[in-house]
Amino acid sequence: MKITKTAFIIIPIIVIVAITCHFIFRKKQINPVTGKAQAISLTPEQEVAVGIACAPQLAAEFGGLYPNRQWQKKIKAIGRKLVAPSPAAKSSYQFDFHLLADSQAVCTYALPGGQIFITLGMFKKLKTDDDLAAVLSHAIGHVIGRHASEKLFKTKLLQTSNDSINLHDSARQTSKYLSNFMAMTYDDEDEIEADALSIQYMAKAGYDPKVVVSVFEMLKENSDMSLKHPVTTDRIEKMKEAIQKFKN
C-alpha cells in the first residue's frame, strides 16, 4: 500500500485529534450551577487545594497583601455578602477575598476554588460599594463557571496526556500551575457567562447590577484588565440584555 505525502501530514493530525477527544470526553464534568458539560481534570475539592496553594505566591508577585485592615475587611465583607444568597454558598468552594499591595496594576484574579484577589490599583478606580461588588461578583462568576480550570485543562492537553496535577509536589507544581494561570486569557464566552452570573449575585445581595456595564466600560480602556478580561462591544450588549432579563 502506497502512503502519499499528504497522508503523512493528515494521519498524525487525525491521531492527535482522536487522542485529544478521548481525554476531553473522559474528563467531562457537569457544572451543577450552569448545567454545562466541561472538560476539567480537577475535582472541586482539588481546585480548592490548588487555589489555596497558589494564593501566597500570587500575592507575593504583587507585593503581598495591602496592610490596611479596614480595606481588607471591606473587600471580604462585600465578597461574603455576594456569596451568601447565591448558589456559590452551596458549592464546595472556599471563597476568600484579598487586596493586593500593587498600586500600578489594575486587575483582579480568581483562582480556582475561590481565592479572589484585587489589586490596590483596581480598588482605587472603584468609587462605590456597588462598583466593588461588580468586580468581585464577576470574579465569583469565573470561579463558579470553572473557567480557569477548563482553560488550563485544554492547554495541558496540547502538552501531555498526563493531565493530572500532583498536589503533593507543591513547590514546583504550584509555581508551574500559577505561571500557566497568569498567562491565561478568558474568551468572550467565559466573560459573558461570568457577567450573567455576577448580575444575578449582585441583585440577590442588594447591589445595583446596572453598574456592571459602567464599571467594565471604564475598565475597557485599561490594558491590564482588558488583556486578561477582554471587554468587547458584544459583551457590553449581552450585559445589558442580562440586566433587563433579570429585572423582568
Side-chain angles (χ1 to χ4, degrees):
M1 180 179 176
K2 185 178 180 180
I3 300 177
T4 65
K5 184 177 180 181
T6 303
F8 273 113
I9 298 172
I10 293 176
I11 290 173
I13 293 174
I14 293 173
V15 171
I16 291 170
V17 170
I19 292 172
T20 300
C21 289
H22 167 73
F23 279 102
I24 288 176
F25 180 78
R26 183 169 61 85
K27 292 294 183 179
K28 284 285 186 181
Q29 298 183 37
I30 301 298
N31 189 310
V33 176
T34 66
K36 286 172 56 178
Q38 296 175 284
I40 299 174
S41 58
L42 301 180
T43 65
E45 292 73 21
Q46 287 175 317
E47 286 180 286
V48 171
V50 168
I52 290 173
C54 288
Q57 188 174 330
L58 188 151
E61 294 196 12
F62 291 89
L65 300 180
Y66 189 62
N68 183 312
R69 290 186 180 181
Q70 184 178 352
W71 286 1
Q72 292 286 357
K73 286 181 179 179
K74 179 175 183 173
I75 287 174
K76 290 180 186 295
I78 291 177
R80 289 166 183 166
K81 185 177 178 182
L82 288 163
V83 169
S86 75
K90 298 177 182 178
S91 72
S92 302
Y93 299 129
Q94 297 178 20
F95 286 94
D96 202 0
F97 303 85
H98 315 276
L99 178 61
L100 297 168
D102 194 322
S103 61
Q104 300 303 309
V106 179
C107 50
T108 59
Y109 293 98
L111 284 168
Q115 299 297 311
I116 292 172
F117 296 82
I118 176 173
T119 61
L120 182 61
M122 168 70 85
F123 182 76
K124 288 186 173 180
K125 283 186 173 290
L126 306 173
K127 306 303 181 185
T128 68
D129 285 359
D130 290 276
D131 291 348
L132 181 54
V135 171
L136 294 180
S137 62
H138 181 81
I140 295 168
H142 277 306
V143 174
I144 291 299
R146 307 186 76 185
H147 298 149
S149 291
E150 186 174 30
K151 279 275 184 300
L152 292 173
F153 174 73
K154 290 177 180 177
T155 301
K156 198 168 181 67
L157 276 176
L158 300 178
Q159 301 169 355
T160 174
S161 60
N162 181 20
D163 53 278
S164 62
I165 292 179
N166 183 357
L167 298 176
H168 301 291
D169 186 8
S170 56
R172 185 174 63 84
Q173 287 285 52
T174 297
S175 181
K176 182 179 178 182
Y177 186 90
L178 183 61
S179 177
N180 290 337
F181 171 81
M182 297 296 284
M184 180 198 72
T185 302
Y186 295 112
D187 58 31
D188 224 29
E189 184 180 349
D190 295 332
E191 296 295 358
I192 288 170
E193 183 171 69
D195 290 334
L197 291 171
S198 72
I199 287 162
Q200 296 177 35
Y201 299 164
M202 285 187 71
K204 288 180 180 179
Y207 295 105
D208 182 4
K210 294 193 297 296
V211 305
V212 170
V213 175
S214 58
V215 165
F216 280 93
E217 282 181 332
M218 177 269 291
L219 294 173
K220 184 178 181 181
E221 306 306 318
N222 184 275
S223 59
D224 290 343
M225 193 67 179
S226 60
L227 284 174
K228 187 118 180 135
H229 302 264
V231 183
T232 62
T233 301
D234 182 55
R235 182 182 163 193
I236 295 294
E237 289 305 311
K238 288 289 196 301
M239 285 181 196
K240 294 175 180 177
E241 291 173 12
I243 291 167
Q244 195 59 40
K245 182 178 180 181
F246 194 78
K247 284 171 63 178
N248 294 338

